[in-house]
Amino acid sequence: MHPMVNIAVRAARAGGDLIVRNIDRLDRVRVETKGRYDFVCDIDRQAEAAIVQTIQRAYPQHAILAEESGLQGRAQSEAEYTWIIDPLDGTANFLRGYPHIGVSIAVQKDGQLEAAAVYDPLRQELFTASRGNGAQLDGRRIRVPQRRGVDGAMIGTGFPFKNQALMPAYLRMFSALTEHAEDMRRAGSAALDLAYVAAGRLDGYFELGLKPWDIAGGTLLVREAGGIVTDITGEDRALATGHVVAGAPKVHSGLLNTIRAHTADLPTA
């Protein structure tokens, strides 16, 4: 296993163990509101601290971009390696005891994704990938399903509740896809949903208005499982724009073709 995958796994398990220890103590979890439908709890912060400590112990010279604490260590422009961390993807699910949450950790070298781990602490499923070496679920190789397109596919998504300006265009995209897809799924963790694409549990995925830590780990998983991940224009800029489209090559192409007809409705700012 790639040495940075080993550290990502160790860090993800450290964060995940802390989450599991608190899943039955939700009445004692302290919650703050960051923005519209955007919450942070003390478990987010504690899990992130455990993850960051694990990484810094192994790679003190690397930069770290984490959801709750921002950029730590060296500036991204100066660091060869940057770790991108979401300590608890699906905080709203966690706070309700809804069992679909993930810990996402990825590392970039000079802007290119090199290694990743996405961990479901409740199911104890571990998805890992390193560039050029494929993707695994609990050590077993996984591949995206090779469907012929969107027709009959199961597509994952997420509603852009945190940015209502995106909703009109998103709903048009969603409506157009329902004419072709077998069904749509909205579970509340982009990191796990992308991992599910890599493992063949979903055929494709699209969402608008995400952050790099939501999708960095899942992006490498899908690519190393033989899939394609882009933004909604087909460019390799999903981490920058926050708009992501993922799937096997023909599913990805079908998603893009359907979604592109409604991108003019998106706000420019």
Side-chain angles (χ1 to χ4, degrees):
M1 187 182 287
H2 190 291
M4 289 188 188
V5 173
N6 277 329
I7 297 302
V9 167
R10 190 181 306 167
R13 289 193 186 279
D17 289 349
L18 195 149
I19 291 167
V20 169
R21 287 199 301 271
N22 286 277
I23 195 71
D24 294 324
R25 307 174 188 172
L26 294 177
D27 56 326
R28 295 179 237 169
V29 173
R30 293 190 301 275
V31 184
E32 298 172 23
T33 301
K34 293 194 290 185
R36 181 184 174 93
Y37 304 125
D38 194 5
F39 307 99
V40 61
C41 66
D42 50 349
I43 308 307
D44 286 273
R45 295 194 175 104
Q46 291 172 26
E48 184 170 291
I51 291 166
V52 169
Q53 183 181 53
T54 302
I55 294 168
Q56 287 182 333
R57 191 181 300 127
Y59 297 109
Q61 73 277 24
H62 291 185
I64 295 177
L65 177 63
E67 178 176 10
E68 308 307 337
S69 56
L71 184 65
Q72 300 183 41
R74 304 174 66 182
Q76 283 180 274
S77 59
E78 298 174 1
E80 184 181 12
Y81 291 93
T82 299
W83 294 75
I84 305 173
I85 299 164
D86 191 334
L88 203 176
D89 188 48
T91 299
N93 284 350
F94 171 76
L95 293 173
R96 289 164 175 79
Y98 189 95
H100 191 78
I101 57 176
V103 179
S104 179
I105 301 174
V107 59
Q108 285 183 326
K109 180 182 180 182
D110 298 327
Q112 185 170 44
L113 291 167
E114 288 287 322
V118 172
Y119 181 49
D120 179 342
L122 301 181
R123 296 181 184 90
Q124 296 188 352
E125 289 187 325
L126 178 66
F127 302 83
T128 56
S130 61
R131 188 166 65 88
N133 293 307
Q136 296 81 35
L137 166 55
D138 294 333
R140 300 185 306 274
R141 185 72 178 265
I142 52 176
R143 299 289 293 176
V144 297
Q146 296 299 320
R147 286 191 168 273
R148 290 176 291 181
V150 174
D151 285 355
M154 179 82 77
I155 304 299
T157 189
F159 305 124
F161 283 119
K162 296 175 186 176
N163 186 347
Q164 287 290 307
L166 299 172
M167 193 64 84
Y170 171 82
L171 290 175
R172 291 186 183 96
M173 295 172 185
F174 184 95
S175 179
L177 285 169
T178 60
E179 297 177 16
H180 302 280
E182 176 186 304
D183 209 342
M184 308 284 281
R185 290 287 181 270
R186 198 286 184 181
S189 169
L192 270 190
D193 289 340
L194 286 167
Y196 281 14
V197 173
R201 296 173 180 176
L202 291 170
D203 298 308
Y205 182 80
F206 86 102
E207 189 166 351
L208 307 179
L210 293 166
K211 299 295 185 183
W213 43 80
D214 296 319
I215 57 177
T219 292
L220 187 62
L221 286 173
V222 173
R223 288 175 175 169
E224 287 299 320
I228 297 175
V229 183
T230 67
D231 69 1
I232 55 176
T233 68
E235 301 293 324
D236 182 13
R237 298 189 67 249
L239 267 65
T241 66
H243 305 328
V244 62
V245 182
K250 290 182 179 178
V251 175
H252 175 270
S253 177
L255 284 171
L256 270 187
N257 288 340
T258 303
I259 287 169
R260 275 175 172 157
H262 307 283
T263 55
D265 300 327
L266 287 170
T268 55

